[in-house]
Amino acid sequence: MSTTPRSPARAGANQARKRAPRRRSLAVEQGAPAATDPSERDRDVAAALAAWFDRVARDLPWRRTRDPYAIWLSEVMLQQTRVETVIPYYERFLARYPTVFALASAEIDDVLSLWSGLGYYRRARVLHLAAREVTARHDGALPRDVAALRALPGVGAYTAGAIASIAYDQPVPLVDGNVARVLSRIEGIDDDIRSASGTRKLWAAAERLVRGAAESVHPGRFNQALMELGATVCAPRNPRCDACPVDGACAARALGRQAELPVIAPKRDVPAVAMVAAVVRSGGRVLFVRRAEGGLFGGLWEPPMVEARALADARALLEQVGVEPDAPLREVGRVRHILTHRRLDVTVARAEVSAPWRCRAKLAAPYEKAAWLDPGVLNIGVSKLARKVLSAASAPDGGAARRSR
């Protein structure tokens, strides 16, 4: 991983100003006539955003490098995850796997162990798979070509745009949730941003702007400025328009529609799923089972869990996944765990057995393997839900109900 002494957001500030003479901030020109040439307006937006980004950009570890692998890793980790949560995981991951080659040669259990607690584990599995493909097809170097990037497992239009623009200075657009909100307000897009028409308009606007920006601003800086604006100023509620460097070019601001845009259709209700988890201990070891790849929590280890509303209803199902019928299970608490597509309400049962039984060679779906492991030394991938279940089973009072995402 290569690094530079200063953040790239600031390092090229003086050079960028030489290429594009400093214009008056769009934020203070709200009463001035709009540029008649749309391309001039786009260049004004790009110049104002870049200058603002140079002044206020947060100093984040992935902004101190142009290494395509490090940028790729950061974008994968940041999907549906907060920046402050990602930073320690990102730094630990790069320390363990500093190159694509290092990641590609790692065992998936080791990768999932390092990812444990970050959530959305499919990202780690697909990242590992893609690293192996980059090693096999591209000699360990992420390709510059956008089509080749998008051919990699898990790399969509957004991730490809981030790598191509930030690492390789290509005028390639990107649209994430923050950028979609910014563009919908600047452009005055009335379509639902999750609809096909709204998506087309957002990507068209992003492409037009980044190509116009490329005349005077590094495309990667421009794209990062858009993301930064959405993350810190153009908030979902109560946007700080007075602090926006481009509010003079914003359609929503001009029409007083900041609260109306973006248009987002209401989400469907998330179904609730009742489950029972069995934490079976024998001395210092606990019975763990590994989920098969591809499904919910695929490839991760956890105490056996089955869909059921009560312990009495779950006993026969627990036998199918490796819990002996005479295990003295008793209910000790409940855990609530919220995912994007379902809410899990887990009844936690606990048992102490004198000696661990031999694990079965074949288990019922979704499990494929079982083992007795020391929960204090888990060098395997374990989900946040599994850790909460173990905590509830270990609590002196039996474990209070918990909520988490």
Side-chain angles (χ1 to χ4, degrees), residues 133-312:
E133 190 163 318
V134 171
T135 298
R137 296 190 178 184
H138 304 285
D139 197 27
L142 281 160
R144 291 174 174 268
D145 180 70
V146 173
L149 284 169
R150 293 203 59 181
L152 296 172
V155 177
Y158 167 78
T159 305
I163 297 169
S165 64
I166 299 171
Y168 295 134
D169 282 334
Q170 296 187 51
V172 180
L174 56 75
V175 177
D176 67 354
N178 286 329
V179 173
R181 183 167 59 254
V182 170
L183 293 180
S184 72
R185 287 171 174 164
I186 290 177
E187 300 288 309
I189 296 174
D190 281 312
D191 302 59
D192 179 354
I193 59 173
R194 294 175 180 160
S195 68
S197 61
T199 299
R200 283 195 301 271
K201 290 180 179 179
L202 288 169
W203 279 94
E207 182 167 12
R208 189 194 76 238
L209 286 167
V210 75
R211 291 193 180 279
E215 298 177 15
S216 59
V217 176
H218 286 302
R221 283 177 59 239
F222 173 76
N223 279 339
Q224 290 182 88
L226 275 179
M227 292 189 284
E228 187 80 348
L229 188 66
T232 62
V233 173
C234 196
R237 297 181 181 85
N238 303 316
R240 297 189 298 117
C241 296
D242 290 342
C244 177
V246 295
D247 73 332
C250 178
R253 170 76 157 162
L255 299 172
R257 300 188 61 206
Q258 301 95 312
E260 299 174 27
L261 298 176
V263 175
I264 304 175
K267 291 183 178 180
R268 296 179 180 177
D269 289 338
V270 178
V273 179
M275 303 188 73
V276 173
V279 179
V280 184
R281 292 183 175 272
S282 178
R285 290 183 288 175
V286 171
L287 178 66
F288 279 82
V289 286
R290 185 181 188 272
R291 285 182 174 262
E293 297 283 352
L296 181 67
F297 303 131
L300 299 179
W301 292 81
E302 64 188 21
M305 299 188 208
V306 294
E307 288 193 22
R309 293 194 172 278
L311 180 56

Side-chain angles (χ1 to χ4, degrees), residues 14-83:
N14 293 333
Q15 185 178 357
R17 293 189 184 101
K18 290 178 182 178
R19 288 195 303 269
R22 177 73 180 264
R23 304 180 63 88
R24 288 180 296 159
S25 169
L26 292 178
V28 299
E29 291 189 38
Q30 189 150 354
T36 56
D37 180 0
S39 62
E40 182 181 350
R41 176 258 194 186
D42 290 350
R43 287 193 295 270
D44 287 349
V45 168
L49 269 174
W52 169 81
F53 187 65
D54 288 339
R55 295 192 305 271
V56 306
R58 292 168 293 174
D59 183 20
L60 303 175
W62 43 86
R63 289 181 178 166
R64 304 173 199 149
T65 180
R66 297 288 291 278
D67 178 4
Y69 166 62
I71 292 166
W72 176 34
L73 174 64
S74 72
E75 294 299 341
V76 172
M77 285 189 165
L78 287 164
Q79 293 168 13
Q80 303 183 71
T81 310
R82 298 177 65 85
V83 165

